[in-house]
Amino acid sequence: VQLVESGGGLVQPGGSLNLSCVASESVFKGYPMAWYRQAPGKQRDLVAMTSPSSSTYYIDSVKGRFTTSRDNAKYTAYLQMNSLKPEDTAVYYCNRAYSEVAWGQGTQVTVSS
């Protein structure tokens, strides 16, 4: 198994979650890592990414609310999600950016009152 996501759950609007993605060394080391999400009936879309030097990119709808980071020693990427909205409900996945490998199982995030 190369990618394992965790940390999802059910949270009320305005709440927070912190997702983790543990990757194998060959998948993680030296590569930009990205978070994606797939809502029911929709395609999987990019949410955020972090380069090996920890520069970051976010889609407009999550800027100021989500923060992605990485621990290069632990081959782990993180997605801190604050001020969650119902439209953030989706299965969240991590993978390399630009050169994806086999997808993990993802972690479900549900934002609902």
Side-chain angles (χ1 to χ4, degrees), residues 2-99:
Q2 296 180 302
L3 292 162
V4 179
E5 302 92 345
S6 63
L10 172 63
V11 63
Q12 292 186 341
S16 298
L17 287 171
N18 189 24
L19 307 185
S20 298
C21 168
V22 180
S24 63
E25 178 181 357
S26 62
V27 169
F28 190 94
K29 191 174 182 179
Y31 289 94
M33 295 298 294
W35 286 94
Y36 303 82
R37 64 186 179 189
Q38 186 168 21
K42 296 188 176 182
Q43 66 181 22
R44 183 156 42 202
D45 291 325
L46 175 69
V47 176
M49 70 171 74
T50 177
S51 73
S53 62
S54 295
S55 60
T56 56
Y57 165 84
Y58 302 93
I59 60 172
D60 286 346
S61 61
V62 308
K63 282 181 182 176
R65 300 189 298 122
F66 290 12
T67 302
T68 188
S69 60
R70 62 193 287 156
D71 185 331
N72 290 330
K74 295 181 178 180
Y75 310 131
T76 301
Y78 303 97
L79 185 66
Q80 175 67 43
M81 306 187 295
N82 299 326
S83 303
L84 282 161
K85 303 176 180 180
E87 52 264 41
D88 295 319
T89 294
V91 179
Y92 283 71
Y93 301 87
C94 70
N95 209 318
R96 288 180 185 170
Y98 313 121
S99 58

